Amino acid sequence: MAAGTKATDLRQLSNDDLVEKLREAKEELFNLRFQAATGQLENHGRLKAVRKDIARIYTLMRERELGIDTVESA
């Protein structure tokens, strides 16, 4: 996943694609935490970015579940 995936990019994905992105992000977060625990992590900011990406995906999935239509400002 790209650093700091934008919500507008995620909104264009289907539900199946969102689930796949979520799986990838969780796997990356696990690997980053493992690197941090062993002292091999070089970019500590990436942990925060991946956690935010996961939160964005969960938020978007919940919006779709509730049928909330969000308006993107241009």
Side-chain angles (χ1 to χ4, degrees):
M1 259 177 103
T5 306
K6 297 205 181 248
T8 54
D9 297 336
L10 292 174
R11 288 186 199 285
Q12 297 172 358
L13 300 176
S14 68
N15 288 339
D16 292 336
D17 291 338
L18 276 179
V19 171
E20 180 62 25
K21 285 278 192 189
L22 180 62
R23 188 196 60 75
E24 291 172 3
K26 283 185 169 188
E27 185 177 329
E28 183 179 358
L29 183 60
F30 173 80
N31 291 331
L32 289 172
R33 284 181 175 161
F34 194 87
Q35 289 175 6
T38 59
Q40 298 174 351
L41 185 63
E42 295 178 9
N43 185 1
H44 294 280
R46 185 72 184 132
L47 277 169
K48 183 177 179 181
V50 172
R51 281 198 312 263
K52 281 187 163 193
D53 285 346
I54 291 172
R56 268 189 204 100
I57 293 170
Y58 274 132
T59 300
L60 184 56
M61 291 171 73
R62 183 65 177 156
E63 285 176 354
R64 289 182 181 180
E65 181 180 316
L66 295 175
I68 297 173
D69 188 27
T70 57
V71 177
E72 293 291 328
S73 58

